Amino acid sequence: MQQRLIKEMASYLQSLPEEQKIEAINAFRQAIHENSPFHNQPIDCVLWIKHDEISANDYNPNNVAPPEKRLLTQSLELDGFTQPIVVTESTPSHYEIVDGFHRHDIVASRAALTRQLKGYMPVTCLRKERQKKHDRMAATIRHNRARGRHQINAMSDLVRELFQLGWDDTKIGKELGMDGDEVLRLKQINGLLELFADRRYSQAWTVK
């Protein structure tokens, strides 16, 4: 039965024009994912989504220096995509990047890559319970910090926003992989009094 289904699926896909074929492949993958023992792992379902249906987030503190960006471009051109873009589905058929902005940006600026990918990009979606803004922000930071790259001022802004969304220092530290002192320093960079409403100010933490 398995071989028969595979042959029928292959025959069906071969009968479709390219765009409909991609839509069908995505649908098959989603159906398999729903019944997979690994359905709680985002990487279990990689979909091909049109490039113009994917947009950057407004909080990513990650920055790639020119040499690393050139190397990333070369890797995409020579090796292809080996990691999907991590996204959330912000609205039906529209996706916001959690991790992979620079890969997305490079494809948009390189005609050869756009042609090679037929205007699509490989994405994997965060689980629905992790799609609130503070969860998306925390996921972006975890991805960035795991690679050892983030900008301090942008990180400080992000900590401020998480605080304003209702997370306390303990929650911020746990979700972003920081100790209490690091959270305090990042809050202090902003110099906002409301960030220290629950803590005595100390000259020892003044950022120069």
Side-chain angles (χ1 to χ4, degrees), residues 7-17 21:
K7 287 181 180 179
E8 289 179 356
M9 182 178 65
S11 177
Y12 172 67
L13 291 173
Q14 289 168 8
S15 71
L16 298 175
K21 182 183 294 187

Side-chain angles (χ1 to χ4, degrees), residues 174-186:
K174 180 179 178 181
E175 292 288 336
L176 304 189
M178 301 176 182
D179 60 30
D181 290 344
E182 188 174 5
V183 173
L184 180 59
R185 291 190 190 99
L186 289 170

Side-chain angles (χ1 to χ4, degrees), residues 111-166:
L113 278 172
T114 300
R115 287 194 301 271
Q116 181 181 339
L117 293 167
K118 305 179 185 296
Y120 289 80
M121 298 199 70
V123 308
T124 187
C125 293
L126 287 185
R127 297 190 298 270
K128 290 182 179 180
E129 66 269 21
R130 299 293 300 175
Q131 295 198 12
K132 293 180 180 178
K133 185 171 184 180
H134 46 67
D135 291 321
R136 300 196 311 267
M137 293 167 69
T140 296
I141 298 307
R142 284 193 292 269
H143 280 80
N144 289 348
R145 284 171 64 86
R147 287 190 295 267
R149 297 195 303 263
H150 62 276
Q151 295 175 293
I152 295 300
N153 288 337
M155 281 285 289
S156 177
D157 290 340
L158 189 144
V159 166
R160 175 184 60 190
E161 186 165 354
L162 289 175
F163 180 85
Q164 292 170 341
L165 286 170

Side-chain angles (χ1 to χ4, degrees), residues 29 41-49 54 76 80-87 97-104 117 121-126 143 147:
R29 288 181 175 175
Q41 298 296 325
I43 194 65
D44 187 60
C45 185
V46 177
L47 304 175
W48 286 99
I49 302 299
I54 305 169
L76 290 173
F81 263 85
T82 58
Q83 297 179 357
I85 307 298
V86 181
V87 301
I97 296 172
V98 171
D99 181 66
F101 167 78
H102 297 289
R103 280 168 280 159
H104 177 271
L117 293 167
M121 298 199 70
V123 308
T124 187
C125 293
L126 287 185
H143 280 80
R147 287 190 295 267

Side-chain angles (χ1 to χ4, degrees), residues 163 169 184 187 191-201:
F163 180 85
D169 289 11
L184 180 59
K187 288 171 68 174
L192 298 178
L193 292 177
E194 68 267 23
L195 299 185
F196 297 94
D198 60 345
R199 186 186 294 261
R200 289 187 62 186
Y201 183 81

